[in-house]
Amino acid sequence: MGRGRQKAKATKQAREIKYYTPNTDLSALERELAQARGEIPSPSSDDAEEDPSEDWDDDYGR
């Protein structure tokens, strides 16, 4: 006797491991991947970018 309780505990632990989803810090992941590629991301890269259509307009006389 006692095997049922042990099996139930093992099943509960297996489910906890299977469905465990940790909080993911995507910005930290992006920085880590950029470092691995040798890029240096700027903290405000979205704000600092220029509109690419402005350069295109200058190049093609619009």
Side-chain angles (χ1 to χ4, degrees):
M1 276 183 29
R3 173 71 179 130
R5 184 176 292 167
Q6 183 181 4
K7 185 177 179 185
K9 184 176 181 181
T11 302
K12 180 182 176 186
Q13 290 172 339
R15 283 192 184 121
E16 288 174 356
I17 292 170
K18 181 178 181 179
Y19 297 112
Y20 174 70
T21 54
N23 294 331
T24 304
D25 185 3
L26 296 177
S27 60
L29 177 61
E30 183 180 12
R31 287 190 306 270
E32 183 178 333
L33 292 174
Q35 287 176 350
R37 288 182 290 200
E39 299 173 2
I40 301 173
S42 61
S44 62
S45 62
D46 294 337
D47 297 335
E49 292 182 13
E50 294 180 5
D51 186 12
S53 64
E54 291 176 3
D55 294 334
W56 187 82
D57 291 343
D58 293 339
D59 293 340
Y60 293 99
R62 287 193 174 181

